[in-house]
Amino acid sequence: MTKTWVCIYHFLLFNWYIFINHYISLKSKTQLGSKVFQDGGRWKYLTILNLLLQTIFFGVACLDDVLKRITGRKTIKLVTAFRDLLFTTLAFPASAFIFLAFWSIFLYNRELIYPKAIEGIFPAWLNHAMHTTILPFSLGEIILRPYHYPSRKTGLTLLAAAGLAYIGRVLWLYFETGTWVYPVFAQLSPFGLAVFFSLSYVLLAAVYLLGEKLNQWKWGYKDAEPRTQVPQEEKTSLQETADSERD
């Protein structure tokens, strides 16, 4: 059964992300906000898409917690499976990627990613809510509970599909409006853009593998089974039993 404090933690983060999304929605209706979000709306930004993603994930995590406490079961087949897939292939990689990519470009030249003029709509605390705290919250999930990772091929394929979908939207918005979502893209040649997007996927894949390794290091198994000090010949039997219970 899920611990009470874990349920509370997920509930608080779920509501935190609802609040952040609502706050940004209100800001988008102001005069300055309408200028920032023109040509594609607020959903053109990867950061804001990630905030929606985190809201969905922590909502599913809350649902999973509640159902486990009500039924007394260790897993709720479809909900737990969806929670695990959502976290391992999207929620954790997206948070880590945005944290690393945003702050790397920001420290190099903030005007390329987060112009100073935008602080009129996004104050400092909101900037950190969008680009800083997302990583420790995701890392905390790995520490709090084990996650079942899909096969590496499946995980990286889903990650690539999500990345290509966003790149496709960025390019479509440029061809439709003549404006790039982020100023940094305007500084790159077509070849430079290809290199940038390719390196971005390499970074995404790296943080995906990092999450997999951290999960394995903390819990002992790649597929989220807890570390147990048992003889080697018993591990196979334990694994088969765990897989049977999950099904």
Side-chain angles (χ1 to χ4, degrees):
M1 183 181 293
T2 304
K3 295 180 180 178
T4 301
W5 67 270
V6 175
C7 296
I8 295 173
Y9 173 78
H10 286 147
F11 178 75
L12 290 176
L13 284 182
F14 177 49
N15 283 276
W16 167 250
Y17 280 114
I18 289 177
F19 165 72
I20 294 298
N21 279 287
H22 179 63
Y23 183 87
I24 294 174
S25 176
L26 293 178
K27 285 290 187 177
S28 68
K29 298 175 183 178
T30 64
Q31 183 176 3
L32 178 58
S34 62
K35 293 181 180 179
V36 172
F37 294 125
Q38 67 181 354
D39 298 331
R42 58 194 175 110
W43 303 115
K44 65 182 178 180
Y45 293 112
L46 182 61
T47 294
I48 296 180
L49 287 172
N50 180 57
L51 293 176
L52 177 62
L53 172 63
Q54 300 303 317
T55 305
I56 295 172
F57 166 70
F58 282 106
V60 173
C62 280
L63 177 62
D64 185 65
D65 293 340
V66 170
L67 292 177
K68 285 178 179 177
R69 292 190 67 83
I70 292 175
T71 63
R73 298 171 59 187
K74 291 184 178 181
T75 61
I76 306 298
K77 190 173 182 181
L78 293 178
V79 178
T80 303
F82 180 62
R83 181 209 67 185
D84 287 357
L85 186 66
L86 190 61
F87 179 77
T88 58
T89 62
L90 290 176
F92 177 77
S95 293
F97 172 80
I98 289 171
F99 175 89
L100 294 171
F102 174 84
W103 287 111
S104 295
I105 298 173
F106 185 94
L107 292 174
Y108 173 73
N109 182 354
R110 67 170 297 169
E111 295 300 316
L112 295 176
I113 192 74
Y114 195 81
K116 193 171 183 61
I118 209 173
E119 290 182 351
I121 185 173
F122 294 145
W125 71 266
L126 185 58
N127 180 22
H128 287 294
M130 296 188 298
H131 302 115
T132 305
T133 59
I134 53 174
L135 181 58
F137 287 159
S138 289
L139 287 173
E141 274 301 298
I142 295 178
I143 296 173
L144 286 176
R145 61 171 26 153
Y147 279 88
H148 177 86
Y149 269 74
S151 67
R152 190 165 293 177
K153 180 180 179 180
T154 299
L156 293 176
T157 298
L158 290 174
L159 195 61
L164 287 173
Y166 181 70
I167 290 172
R169 176 164 172 75
V170 167
L171 295 176
W172 179 80
L173 285 173
Y174 173 73
F175 289 126
E176 286 291 313
T177 67
T179 303
W180 287 107
V181 173
Y182 295 104
V184 63
F185 296 154
Q187 306 299 316
L188 301 174
S189 64
F191 177 75
L193 282 171
V195 171
F196 182 90
F197 290 142
S198 297
L199 291 177
S200 293
Y201 178 70
V202 171
L203 178 58
L204 265 175
V207 296
Y208 172 85
L209 296 176
L210 173 63
E212 182 183 83
K213 291 298 181 183
L214 288 175
N215 185 75
Q216 184 177 2
W217 166 78
K218 178 66 173 67
W219 300 102
Y221 290 92
K222 177 184 174 183
D223 64 348
E225 292 304 315
R227 182 182 285 110
T228 307
Q229 297 298 327
V230 296
Q232 182 64 39
E233 59 270 18
E234 295 181 22
K235 289 186 178 180
T236 301
S237 177
L238 286 172
Q239 184 66 40
E240 291 175 351
T241 300
D243 289 340
S244 177
E245 290 179 353
R246 180 179 292 117
D247 295 335

